[in-house]
């Protein structure tokens, strides 16, 4: 038996209780949730004595993203922003460069370092620096609300049709940075 709780937000007491039942894998870093999927997969592969198999699977996913860059050289150096699917306190939430956006850089895109919360007063200036805006929307209603926003409606990405709106499933996968 093995308890896999790599994204369960275990505290020390819960870990001790679960470990009394069976060997338990918890998150390895300081964050209780949203640990990089590659880290989670690696530790699970090691725990079930399938490290080489898991490493191969991880490399296979990486190779598929890198193939996008090869197949689409026009992506090279294009600036992409990964954004929340709804406005938050009249602001846009942006993902900074890091493990949650690595898939975009593997595809040849560049993820610029912008504020994680872009206020209404900076929205047009910051968002207009990107070649493509990727919104982690979960529904057509969220997409429509964003496009109806007067500031977003005036963006270069809107007039140039350079928005990408996700589905609920894709938004979830991106939130967990999982393939």
């Amino acid at each position: 038996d093995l308890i896999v709780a790599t994204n369960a937000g275990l505290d020390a007491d819960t870990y001790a209780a679960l470990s009394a039942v069976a060997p338990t894998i918890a998150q390895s870093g300081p964050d209780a949730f949203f640990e990089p999927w590659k880290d989670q997969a690696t530790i699970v592969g090691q725990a079930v004595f399938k490290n080489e198999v898991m490493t191969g699977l991880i490399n296979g996913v990486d190779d598929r993203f890198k193939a996008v860059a090869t197949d689409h050289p026009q992506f090279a150096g294009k600036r992409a922003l990964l954004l929340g699917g709804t406005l938050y306190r009249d602001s846009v939430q942006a993902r900074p460069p890091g493990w949650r956006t690595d898939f975009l850089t593997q595809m040849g895109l560049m993820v610029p370092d912008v504020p994680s919360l872009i206020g209404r007063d900076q929205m047009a200036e910051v968002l207009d620096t990107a070649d493509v805006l990727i919104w982690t929307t979960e529904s057509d209603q969220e997409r429509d609300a964003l496009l109806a926003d007067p500031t977003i409606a005036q963006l270069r990405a809107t007039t140039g049709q350079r928005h990408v709106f996700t589905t609920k499933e894709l938004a979830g996968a991106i939130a967990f940075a999982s393939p």
Side-chain angles (χ1 to χ4, degrees):
D1 292 336
L2 177 66
I3 298 172
V4 178
T6 55
N7 202 43
L10 298 185
D11 58 26
D13 292 339
T14 306
Y15 178 80
L18 292 173
S19 294
V21 174
T24 302
I25 302 172
Q27 68 273 6
S28 62
D31 296 325
F33 297 98
F34 297 107
E35 186 170 45
W37 76 268
K38 292 178 188 180
D39 294 349
Q40 294 180 49
T42 298
I43 194 71
V44 170
Q46 291 169 353
V48 299
F49 306 103
K50 298 285 186 179
N51 190 45
E52 288 182 24
V53 172
M54 188 61 76
T55 298
L57 292 171
I58 293 168
N59 290 340
V61 170
D62 284 341
D63 290 346
R64 289 176 69 187
F65 283 122
K66 291 174 187 174
V68 172
T70 301
D71 295 343
H72 300 280
Q74 68 272 26
F75 287 2
K78 297 292 184 190
R79 297 167 56 96
L81 289 176
L82 183 59
L83 308 168
T86 60
L87 295 181
Y88 174 76
R89 296 183 180 168
D90 207 34
S91 300
V92 172
Q93 294 176 301
R95 287 279 177 223
W99 63 268
R100 286 189 173 127
T101 59
D102 282 347
F103 74 101
L104 295 170
T105 56
Q106 286 176 316
M107 292 191 303
L109 299 163
M110 186 185 90
V111 179
D113 195 9
V114 298
S116 60
L117 196 61
I118 304 165
R120 172 85 45 198
D121 60 331
Q122 297 178 318
M123 206 176 287
E125 178 184 347
V126 172
L127 298 182
D128 270 342
T129 65
D131 297 300
V132 65
L133 301 177
I134 304 167
W135 301 89
T136 54
T137 50
E138 296 187 6
S139 68
D140 291 344
Q141 292 80 13
E142 288 182 0
R143 177 202 61 215
D144 294 347
L146 287 168
L147 291 173
D149 181 274
T151 303
I152 294 170
Q154 298 300 315
L155 294 175
R156 289 185 200 131
T158 305
T159 59
Q161 298 181 345
R162 293 181 284 111
H163 291 287
V164 175
F165 298 99
T166 65
T167 62
K168 182 177 182 177
E169 292 78 16
L170 185 54
I174 290 171
F176 285 92
S178 62

